[in-house]
Amino acid sequence: QVQLVESGGGLVQAGGSLRLSCAASGSIFSTNTVAWFRQAPGKEREFVAATSRSGRRTYYADSVKGRVTISRDNAKNTVYLQMNSLKPDDTAVYYCAAACFFSEDVGQYNYWGQGTQVTVSS
């Protein structure tokens, strides 16, 4: 069983930065791919970024590529999402999720956090 808790969201002006954290409990965290998704009001949940079990491979949605960096520290059971050059379109609830294998499909992820709100003002 893996439990995920996100933190680090908040209100930031366009062009600013935020670092989100996803802390996990459960010894199997290091064996899972971990991803960030986001969901804006009235929209479907969408893939943002993911990191492989070792952290050596990372994946990004085209909409955030070059502005976002995902990293993980398996010793701390934590995954981070550094977001720079934020835009109002980045406003959403951000969720971390864990799965056995990488996918951009929300249905493939077994474990989810409760989400953290990111609001970018123009």
mmCIF file with all atom_site columns, all heavy atoms in Angstrom, residues 74-97:
data_model
loop_
_atom_site.group_PDB
_atom_site.id
_atom_site.type_symbol
_atom_site.label_atom_id
_atom_site.label_alt_id
_atom_site.label_comp_id
_atom_site.label_asym_id
_atom_site.label_entity_id
_atom_site.label_seq_id
_atom_site.pdbx_PDB_ins_code
_atom_site.Cartn_x
_atom_site.Cartn_y
_atom_site.Cartn_z
_atom_site.occupancy
_atom_site.B_iso_or_equiv
_atom_site.pdbx_formal_charge
_atom_site.auth_seq_id
_atom_site.auth_comp_id
_atom_site.auth_asym_id
_atom_site.auth_atom_id
_atom_site.pdbx_PDB_model_num
ATOM 1   N N   . ASN A 1 74 ? 14.468 8.665  -3.546  1.00 0.00 ? 74 ASN A N   1
ATOM 2   C CA  . ASN A 1 74 ? 13.887 7.433  -2.991  1.00 0.00 ? 74 ASN A CA  1
ATOM 3   C C   . ASN A 1 74 ? 14.259 7.228  -1.526  1.00 0.00 ? 74 ASN A C   1
ATOM 4   O O   . ASN A 1 74 ? 13.523 6.584  -0.783  1.00 0.00 ? 74 ASN A O   1
ATOM 5   C CB  . ASN A 1 74 ? 14.307 6.232  -3.828  1.00 0.00 ? 74 ASN A CB  1
ATOM 6   C CG  . ASN A 1 74 ? 13.562 6.165  -5.153  1.00 0.00 ? 74 ASN A CG  1
ATOM 7   O OD1 . ASN A 1 74 ? 12.482 6.746  -5.304  1.00 0.00 ? 74 ASN A OD1 1
ATOM 8   N ND2 . ASN A 1 74 ? 14.135 5.484  -6.125  1.00 0.00 ? 74 ASN A ND2 1
ATOM 9   N N   . ALA A 1 75 ? 15.381 7.769  -1.114  1.00 0.00 ? 75 ALA A N   1
ATOM 10  C CA  . ALA A 1 75 ? 15.761 7.652  0.295   1.00 0.00 ? 75 ALA A CA  1
ATOM 11  C C   . ALA A 1 75 ? 14.789 8.405  1.190   1.00 0.00 ? 75 ALA A C   1
ATOM 12  O O   . ALA A 1 75 ? 14.585 8.047  2.346   1.00 0.00 ? 75 ALA A O   1
ATOM 13  C CB  . ALA A 1 75 ? 17.181 8.175  0.491   1.00 0.00 ? 75 ALA A CB  1
ATOM 14  N N   . LYS A 1 76 ? 14.197 9.470  0.638   1.00 0.00 ? 76 LYS A N   1
ATOM 15  C CA  . LYS A 1 76 ? 13.227 10.269 1.392   1.00 0.00 ? 76 LYS A CA  1
ATOM 16  C C   . LYS A 1 76 ? 11.799 9.951  0.990   1.00 0.00 ? 76 LYS A C   1
ATOM 17  O O   . LYS A 1 76 ? 10.857 10.593 1.475   1.00 0.00 ? 76 LYS A O   1
ATOM 18  C CB  . LYS A 1 76 ? 13.492 11.762 1.180   1.00 0.00 ? 76 LYS A CB  1
ATOM 19  C CG  . LYS A 1 76 ? 14.816 12.232 1.719   1.00 0.00 ? 76 LYS A CG  1
ATOM 20  C CD  . LYS A 1 76 ? 14.994 13.729 1.522   1.00 0.00 ? 76 LYS A CD  1
ATOM 21  C CE  . LYS A 1 76 ? 16.314 14.210 2.105   1.00 0.00 ? 76 LYS A CE  1
ATOM 22  N NZ  . LYS A 1 76 ? 16.506 15.679 1.916   1.00 0.00 ? 76 LYS A NZ  1
ATOM 23  N N   . ASN A 1 77 ? 11.632 8.989  0.070   1.00 0.00 ? 77 ASN A N   1
ATOM 24  C CA  . ASN A 1 77 ? 10.284 8.648  -0.424  1.00 0.00 ? 77 ASN A CA  1
ATOM 25  C C   . ASN A 1 77 ? 9.542  9.893  -0.896  1.00 0.00 ? 77 ASN A C   1
ATOM 26  O O   . ASN A 1 77 ? 8.353  10.076 -0.592  1.00 0.00 ? 77 ASN A O   1
ATOM 27  C CB  . ASN A 1 77 ? 9.466  7.945  0.677   1.00 0.00 ? 77 ASN A CB  1
ATOM 28  C CG  . ASN A 1 77 ? 9.780  6.472  0.759   1.00 0.00 ? 77 ASN A CG  1
ATOM 29  O OD1 . ASN A 1 77 ? 10.599 5.945  0.009   1.00 0.00 ? 77 ASN A OD1 1
ATOM 30  N ND2 . ASN A 1 77 ? 9.157  5.790  1.698   1.00 0.00 ? 77 ASN A ND2 1
ATOM 31  N N   . THR A 1 78 ? 10.223 10.733 -1.641  1.00 0.00 ? 78 THR A N   1
ATOM 32  C CA  . THR A 1 78 ? 9.619  11.990 -2.071  1.00 0.00 ? 78 THR A CA  1
ATOM 33  C C   . THR A 1 78 ? 9.916  12.246 -3.544  1.00 0.00 ? 78 THR A C   1
ATOM 34  O O   . THR A 1 78 ? 11.028 11.983 -4.022  1.00 0.00 ? 78 THR A O   1
ATOM 35  C CB  . THR A 1 78 ? 10.152 13.158 -1.229  1.00 0.00 ? 78 THR A CB  1
ATOM 36  O OG1 . THR A 1 78 ? 9.861  12.908 0.153   1.00 0.00 ? 78 THR A OG1 1
ATOM 37  C CG2 . THR A 1 78 ? 9.477  14.467 -1.634  1.00 0.00 ? 78 THR A CG2 1
ATOM 38  N N   . VAL A 1 79 ? 8.910  12.755 -4.229  1.00 0.00 ? 79 VAL A N   1
ATOM 39  C CA  . VAL A 1 79 ? 9.054  13.190 -5.611  1.00 0.00 ? 79 VAL A CA  1
ATOM 40  C C   . VAL A 1 79 ? 8.744  14.683 -5.660  1.00 0.00 ? 79 VAL A C   1
ATOM 41  O O   . VAL A 1 79 ? 7.818  15.155 -4.981  1.00 0.00 ? 79 VAL A O   1
ATOM 42  C CB  . VAL A 1 79 ? 8.110  12.413 -6.541  1.00 0.00 ? 79 VAL A CB  1
ATOM 43  C CG1 . VAL A 1 79 ? 8.091  13.024 -7.930  1.00 0.00 ? 79 VAL A CG1 1
ATOM 44  C CG2 . VAL A 1 79 ? 8.535  10.952 -6.619  1.00 0.00 ? 79 VAL A CG2 1
ATOM 45  N N   . TYR A 1 80 ? 9.506  15.405 -6.459  1.00 0.00 ? 80 TYR A N   1
ATOM 46  C CA  . TYR A 1 80 ? 9.363  16.850 -6.550  1.00 0.00 ? 80 TYR A CA  1
ATOM 47  C C   . TYR A 1 80 ? 8.952  17.253 -7.969  1.00 0.00 ? 80 TYR A C   1
ATOM 48  O O   . TYR A 1 80 ? 9.300  16.583 -8.944  1.00 0.00 ? 80 TYR A O   1
ATOM 49  C CB  . TYR A 1 80 ? 10.678 17.539 -6.203  1.00 0.00 ? 80 TYR A CB  1
ATOM 50  C CG  . TYR A 1 80 ? 11.220 17.147 -4.859  1.00 0.00 ? 80 TYR A CG  1
ATOM 51  C CD1 . TYR A 1 80 ? 12.205 16.173 -4.738  1.00 0.00 ? 80 TYR A CD1 1
ATOM 52  C CD2 . TYR A 1 80 ? 10.740 17.755 -3.696  1.00 0.00 ? 80 TYR A CD2 1
ATOM 53  C CE1 . TYR A 1 80 ? 12.710 15.806 -3.499  1.00 0.00 ? 80 TYR A CE1 1
ATOM 54  C CE2 . TYR A 1 80 ? 11.245 17.394 -2.453  1.00 0.00 ? 80 TYR A CE2 1
ATOM 55  C CZ  . TYR A 1 80 ? 12.217 16.424 -2.364  1.00 0.00 ? 80 TYR A CZ  1
ATOM 56  O OH  . TYR A 1 80 ? 12.701 16.060 -1.133  1.00 0.00 ? 80 TYR A OH  1
ATOM 57  N N   . LEU A 1 81 ? 8.249  18.373 -8.047  1.00 0.00 ? 81 LEU A N   1
ATOM 58  C CA  . LEU A 1 81 ? 7.921  18.959 -9.342  1.00 0.00 ? 81 LEU A CA  1
ATOM 59  C C   . LEU A 1 81 ? 8.273  20.435 -9.264  1.00 0.00 ? 81 LEU A C   1
ATOM 60  O O   . LEU A 1 81 ? 7.580  21.220 -8.608  1.00 0.00 ? 81 LEU A O   1
ATOM 61  C CB  . LEU A 1 81 ? 6.440  18.784 -9.674  1.00 0.00 ? 81 LEU A CB  1
ATOM 62  C CG  . LEU A 1 81 ? 6.049  19.192 -11.092 1.00 0.00 ? 81 LEU A CG  1
ATOM 63  C CD1 . LEU A 1 81 ? 6.619  18.194 -12.107 1.00 0.00 ? 81 LEU A CD1 1
ATOM 64  C CD2 . LEU A 1 81 ? 4.531  19.290 -11.242 1.00 0.00 ? 81 LEU A CD2 1
ATOM 65  N N   . GLN A 1 82 ? 9.384  20.793 -9.890  1.00 0.00 ? 82 GLN A N   1
ATOM 66  C CA  . GLN A 1 82 ? 9.810  22.187 -9.949  1.00 0.00 ? 82 GLN A CA  1
ATOM 67  C C   . GLN A 1 82 ? 9.170  22.827 -11.165 1.00 0.00 ? 82 GLN A C   1
ATOM 68  O O   . GLN A 1 82 ? 9.374  22.368 -12.291 1.00 0.00 ? 82 GLN A O   1
ATOM 69  C CB  . GLN A 1 82 ? 11.332 22.271 -10.048 1.00 0.00 ? 82 GLN A CB  1
ATOM 70  C CG  . GLN A 1 82 ? 11.859 23.683 -10.179 1.00 0.00 ? 82 GLN A CG  1
ATOM 71  C CD  . GLN A 1 82 ? 11.642 24.517 -8.937  1.00 0.00 ? 82 GLN A CD  1
ATOM 72  O OE1 . GLN A 1 82 ? 11.856 24.050 -7.826  1.00 0.00 ? 82 GLN A OE1 1
ATOM 73  N NE2 . GLN A 1 82 ? 11.202 25.757 -9.116  1.00 0.00 ? 82 GLN A NE2 1
ATOM 74  N N   . MET A 1 83 ? 8.408  23.868 -10.939 1.00 0.00 ? 83 MET A N   1
ATOM 75  C CA  . MET A 1 83 ? 7.693  24.537 -12.025 1.00 0.00 ? 83 MET A CA  1
ATOM 76  C C   . MET A 1 83 ? 8.167  25.986 -12.124 1.00 0.00 ? 83 MET A C   1
ATOM 77  O O   . MET A 1 83 ? 8.068  26.735 -11.151 1.00 0.00 ? 83 MET A O   1
ATOM 78  C CB  . MET A 1 83 ? 6.183  24.485 -11.787 1.00 0.00 ? 83 MET A CB  1
ATOM 79  C CG  . MET A 1 83 ? 5.640  23.072 -11.642 1.00 0.00 ? 83 MET A CG  1
ATOM 80  S SD  . MET A 1 83 ? 3.838  23.028 -11.636 1.00 0.00 ? 83 MET A SD  1
ATOM 81  C CE  . MET A 1 83 ? 3.497  23.910 -10.119 1.00 0.00 ? 83 MET A CE  1
ATOM 82  N N   . ASN A 1 84 ? 8.650  26.353 -13.285 1.00 0.00 ? 84 ASN A N   1
ATOM 83  C CA  . ASN A 1 84 ? 9.140  27.703 -13.534 1.00 0.00 ? 84 ASN A CA  1
ATOM 84  C C   . ASN A 1 84 ? 8.335  28.356 -14.654 1.00 0.00 ? 84 ASN A C   1
ATOM 85  O O   . ASN A 1 84 ? 7.607  27.677 -15.385 1.00 0.00 ? 84 ASN A O   1
ATOM 86  C CB  . ASN A 1 84 ? 10.625 27.660 -13.928 1.00 0.00 ? 84 ASN A CB  1
ATOM 87  C CG  . ASN A 1 84 ? 11.485 27.027 -12.862 1.00 0.00 ? 84 ASN A CG  1
ATOM 88  O OD1 . ASN A 1 84 ? 11.286 27.234 -11.667 1.00 0.00 ? 84 ASN A OD1 1
ATOM 89  N ND2 . ASN A 1 84 ? 12.477 26.245 -13.291 1.00 0.00 ? 84 ASN A ND2 1
ATOM 90  N N   . SER A 1 85 ? 8.495  29.661 -14.775 1.00 0.00 ? 85 SER A N   1
ATOM 91  C CA  . SER A 1 85 ? 7.799  30.416 -15.839 1.00 0.00 ? 85 SER A CA  1
ATOM 92  C C   . SER A 1 85 ? 6.319  30.051 -15.884 1.00 0.00 ? 85 SER A C   1
ATOM 93  O O   . SER A 1 85 ? 5.761  29.774 -16.956 1.00 0.00 ? 85 SER A O   1
ATOM 94  C CB  . SER A 1 85 ? 8.458  30.133 -17.194 1.00 0.00 ? 85 SER A CB  1
ATOM 95  O OG  . SER A 1 85 ? 9.824  30.468 -17.172 1.00 0.00 ? 85 SER A OG  1
ATOM 96  N N   . LEU A 1 86 ? 5.699  30.078 -14.737 1.00 0.00 ? 86 LEU A N   1
ATOM 97  C CA  . LEU A 1 86 ? 4.305  29.645 -14.647 1.00 0.00 ? 86 LEU A CA  1
ATOM 98  C C   . LEU A 1 86 ? 3.382  30.590 -15.401 1.00 0.00 ? 86 LEU A C   1
ATOM 99  O O   . LEU A 1 86 ? 3.612  31.811 -15.458 1.00 0.00 ? 86 LEU A O   1
ATOM 100 C CB  . LEU A 1 86 ? 3.877  29.535 -13.193 1.00 0.00 ? 86 LEU A CB  1
ATOM 101 C CG  . LEU A 1 86 ? 4.401  28.284 -12.478 1.00 0.00 ? 86 LEU A CG  1
ATOM 102 C CD1 . LEU A 1 86 ? 4.318  28.426 -10.967 1.00 0.00 ? 86 LEU A CD1 1
ATOM 103 C CD2 . LEU A 1 86 ? 3.640  27.054 -12.931 1.00 0.00 ? 86 LEU A CD2 1
ATOM 104 N N   . LYS A 1 87 ? 2.334  30.009 -15.965 1.00 0.00 ? 87 LYS A N   1
ATOM 105 C CA  . LYS A 1 87 ? 1.348  30.752 -16.730 1.00 0.00 ? 87 LYS A CA  1
ATOM 106 C C   . LYS A 1 87 ? -0.030 30.576 -16.094 1.00 0.00 ? 87 LYS A C   1
ATOM 107 O O   . LYS A 1 87 ? -0.269 29.577 -15.404 1.00 0.00 ? 87 LYS A O   1
ATOM 108 C CB  . LYS A 1 87 ? 1.292  30.203 -18.164 1.00 0.00 ? 87 LYS A CB  1
ATOM 109 C CG  . LYS A 1 87 ? 2.610  30.138 -18.879 1.00 0.00 ? 87 LYS A CG  1
ATOM 110 C CD  . LYS A 1 87 ? 2.457  29.433 -20.215 1.00 0.00 ? 87 LYS A CD  1
ATOM 111 C CE  . LYS A 1 87 ? 3.778  29.297 -20.936 1.00 0.00 ? 87 LYS A CE  1
ATOM 112 N NZ  . LYS A 1 87 ? 3.629  28.587 -22.242 1.00 0.00 ? 87 LYS A NZ  1
ATOM 113 N N   . PRO A 1 88 ? -0.950 31.484 -16.350 1.00 0.00 ? 88 PRO A N   1
ATOM 114 C CA  . PRO A 1 88 ? -2.310 31.298 -15.819 1.00 0.00 ? 88 PRO A CA  1
ATOM 115 C C   . PRO A 1 88 ? -2.925 29.961 -16.235 1.00 0.00 ? 88 PRO A C   1
ATOM 116 O O   . PRO A 1 88 ? -3.697 29.376 -15.474 1.00 0.00 ? 88 PRO A O   1
ATOM 117 C CB  . PRO A 1 88 ? -3.067 32.484 -16.420 1.00 0.00 ? 88 PRO A CB  1
ATOM 118 C CG  . PRO A 1 88 ? -2.026 33.546 -16.545 1.00 0.00 ? 88 PRO A CG  1
ATOM 119 C CD  . PRO A 1 88 ? -0.772 32.814 -16.951 1.00 0.00 ? 88 PRO A CD  1
ATOM 120 N N   . ASP A 1 89 ? -2.573 29.460 -17.417 1.00 0.00 ? 89 ASP A N   1
ATOM 121 C CA  . ASP A 1 89 ? -3.095 28.167 -17.878 1.00 0.00 ? 89 ASP A CA  1
ATOM 122 C C   . ASP A 1 89 ? -2.596 26.995 -17.033 1.00 0.00 ? 89 ASP A C   1
ATOM 123 O O   . ASP A 1 89 ? -3.125 25.884 -17.144 1.00 0.00 ? 89 ASP A O   1
ATOM 124 C CB  . ASP A 1 89 ? -2.704 27.920 -19.336 1.00 0.00 ? 89 ASP A CB  1
ATOM 125 C CG  . ASP A 1 89 ? -3.548 28.734 -20.302 1.00 0.00 ? 89 ASP A CG  1
ATOM 126 O OD1 . ASP A 1 89 ? -4.549 29.336 -19.859 1.00 0.00 ? 89 ASP A OD1 1
ATOM 127 O OD2 . ASP A 1 89 ? -3.201 28.786 -21.498 1.00 0.00 ? 89 ASP A OD2 1
ATOM 128 N N   . ASP A 1 90 ? -1.598 27.227 -16.202 1.00 0.00 ? 90 ASP A N   1
ATOM 129 C CA  . ASP A 1 90 ? -1.108 26.172 -15.313 1.00 0.00 ? 90 ASP A CA  1
ATOM 130 C C   . ASP A 1 90 ? -1.959 26.035 -14.056 1.00 0.00 ? 90 ASP A C   1
ATOM 131 O O   . ASP A 1 90 ? -1.747 25.123 -13.252 1.00 0.00 ? 90 ASP A O   1
ATOM 132 C CB  . ASP A 1 90 ? 0.344  26.447 -14.901 1.00 0.00 ? 90 ASP A CB  1
ATOM 133 C CG  . ASP A 1 90 ? 1.300  26.381 -16.071 1.00 0.00 ? 90 ASP A CG  1
ATOM 134 O OD1 . ASP A 1 90 ? 1.180  25.454 -16.896 1.00 0.00 ? 90 ASP A OD1 1
ATOM 135 O OD2 . ASP A 1 90 ? 2.193  27.256 -16.154 1.00 0.00 ? 90 ASP A OD2 1
ATOM 136 N N   . THR A 1 91 ? -2.912 26.937 -13.877 1.00 0.00 ? 91 THR A N   1
ATOM 137 C CA  . THR A 1 91 ? -3.786 26.882 -12.708 1.00 0.00 ? 91 THR A CA  1
ATOM 138 C C   . THR A 1 91 ? -4.595 25.592 -12.711 1.00 0.00 ? 91 THR A C   1
ATOM 139 O O   . THR A 1 91 ? -5.284 25.276 -13.685 1.00 0.00 ? 91 THR A O   1
ATOM 140 C CB  . THR A 1 91 ? -4.734 28.091 -12.692 1.00 0.00 ? 91 THR A CB  1
ATOM 141 O OG1 . THR A 1 91 ? -3.962 29.281 -12.523 1.00 0.00 ? 91 THR A OG1 1
ATOM 142 C CG2 . THR A 1 91 ? -5.747 27.976 -11.558 1.00 0.00 ? 91 THR A CG2 1
ATOM 143 N N   . ALA A 1 92 ? -4.486 24.843 -11.615 1.00 0.00 ? 92 ALA A N   1
ATOM 144 C CA  . ALA A 1 92 ? -5.156 23.543 -11.525 1.00 0.00 ? 92 ALA A CA  1
ATOM 145 C C   . ALA A 1 92 ? -4.875 22.956 -10.146 1.00 0.00 ? 92 ALA A C   1
ATOM 146 O O   . ALA A 1 92 ? -4.029 23.455 -9.404  1.00 0.00 ? 92 ALA A O   1
ATOM 147 C CB  . ALA A 1 92 ? -4.652 22.593 -12.600 1.00 0.00 ? 92 ALA A CB  1
ATOM 148 N N   . VAL A 1 93 ? -5.569 21.887 -9.842  1.00 0.00 ? 93 VAL A N   1
ATOM 149 C CA  . VAL A 1 93 ? -5.193 21.042 -8.720  1.00 0.00 ? 93 VAL A CA  1
ATOM 150 C C   . VAL A 1 93 ? -4.197 20.020 -9.250  1.00 0.00 ? 93 VAL A C   1
ATOM 151 O O   . VAL A 1 93 ? -4.459 19.366 -10.260 1.00 0.00 ? 93 VAL A O   1
ATOM 152 C CB  . VAL A 1 93 ? -6.410 20.340 -8.100  1.00 0.00 ? 93 VAL A CB  1
ATOM 153 C CG1 . VAL A 1 93 ? -5.957 19.410 -6.965  1.00 0.00 ? 93 VAL A CG1 1
ATOM 154 C CG2 . VAL A 1 93 ? -7.417 21.357 -7.583  1.00 0.00 ? 93 VAL A CG2 1
ATOM 155 N N   . TYR A 1 94 ? -3.070 19.914 -8.576  1.00 0.00 ? 94 TYR A N   1
ATOM 156 C CA  . TYR A 1 94 ? -2.006 19.012 -9.004  1.00 0.00 ? 94 TYR A CA  1
ATOM 157 C C   . TYR A 1 94 ? -2.008 17.786 -8.098  1.00 0.00 ? 94 TYR A C   1
ATOM 158 O O   . TYR A 1 94 ? -2.016 17.911 -6.865  1.00 0.00 ? 94 TYR A O   1
ATOM 159 C CB  . TYR A 1 94 ? -0.664 19.719 -8.942  1.00 0.00 ? 94 TYR A CB  1
ATOM 160 C CG  . TYR A 1 94 ? -0.457 20.664 -10.099 1.00 0.00 ? 94 TYR A CG  1
ATOM 161 C CD1 . TYR A 1 94 ? -1.191 21.847 -10.199 1.00 0.00 ? 94 TYR A CD1 1
ATOM 162 C CD2 . TYR A 1 94 ? 0.442  20.367 -11.122 1.00 0.00 ? 94 TYR A CD2 1
ATOM 163 C CE1 . TYR A 1 94 ? -1.024 22.700 -11.276 1.00 0.00 ? 94 TYR A CE1 1
ATOM 164 C CE2 . TYR A 1 94 ? 0.618  21.221 -12.200 1.00 0.00 ? 94 TYR A CE2 1
ATOM 165 C CZ  . TYR A 1 94 ? -0.128 22.378 -12.269 1.00 0.00 ? 94 TYR A CZ  1
ATOM 166 O OH  . TYR A 1 94 ? 0.033  23.224 -13.344 1.00 0.00 ? 94 TYR A OH  1
ATOM 167 N N   . TYR A 1 95 ? -1.975 16.617 -8.741  1.00 0.00 ? 95 TYR A N   1
ATOM 168 C CA  . TYR A 1 95 ? -2.010 15.353 -8.036  1.00 0.00 ? 95 TYR A CA  1
ATOM 169 C C   . TYR A 1 95 ? -0.750 14.551 -8.357  1.00 0.00 ? 95 TYR A C   1
ATOM 170 O O   . TYR A 1 95 ? -0.300 14.541 -9.508  1.00 0.00 ? 95 TYR A O   1
ATOM 171 C CB  . TYR A 1 95 ? -3.203 14.513 -8.480  1.00 0.00 ? 95 TYR A CB  1
ATOM 172 C CG  . TYR A 1 95 ? -4.557 15.128 -8.244  1.00 0.00 ? 95 TYR A CG  1
ATOM 173 C CD1 . TYR A 1 95 ? -5.152 15.946 -9.193  1.00 0.00 ? 95 TYR A CD1 1
ATOM 174 C CD2 . TYR A 1 95 ? -5.243 14.868 -7.065  1.00 0.00 ? 95 TYR A CD2 1
ATOM 175 C CE1 . TYR A 1 95 ? -6.400 16.505 -8.978  1.00 0.00 ? 95 TYR A CE1 1
ATOM 176 C CE2 . TYR A 1 95 ? -6.503 15.419 -6.837  1.00 0.00 ? 95 TYR A CE2 1
ATOM 177 C CZ  . TYR A 1 95 ? -7.063 16.236 -7.800  1.00 0.00 ? 95 TYR A CZ  1
ATOM 178 O OH  . TYR A 1 95 ? -8.309 16.774 -7.570  1.00 0.00 ? 95 TYR A OH  1
ATOM 179 N N   . CYS A 1 96 ? -0.226 13.861 -7.367  1.00 0.00 ? 96 CYS A N   1
ATOM 180 C CA  . CYS A 1 96 ? 0.784  12.861 -7.681  1.00 0.00 ? 96 CYS A CA  1
ATOM 181 C C   . CYS A 1 96 ? 0.141  11.486 -7.616  1.00 0.00 ? 96 CYS A C   1
ATOM 182 O O   . CYS A 1 96 ? -0.867 11.281 -6.926  1.00 0.00 ? 96 CYS A O   1
ATOM 183 C CB  . CYS A 1 96 ? 2.008  12.949 -6.783  1.00 0.00 ? 96 CYS A CB  1
ATOM 184 S SG  . CYS A 1 96 ? 1.756  12.488 -5.080  1.00 0.00 ? 96 CYS A SG  1
ATOM 185 N N   . ALA A 1 97 ? 0.719  10.580 -8.376  1.00 0.00 ? 97 ALA A N   1
ATOM 186 C CA  . ALA A 1 97 ? 0.151  9.251  -8.510  1.00 0.00 ? 97 ALA A CA  1
ATOM 187 C C   . ALA A 1 97 ? 1.277  8.253  -8.739  1.00 0.00 ? 97 ALA A C   1
ATOM 188 O O   . ALA A 1 97 ? 2.329  8.613  -9.274  1.00 0.00 ? 97 ALA A O   1
ATOM 189 C CB  . ALA A 1 97 ? -0.840 9.211  -9.668  1.00 0.00 ? 97 ALA A CB  1
#
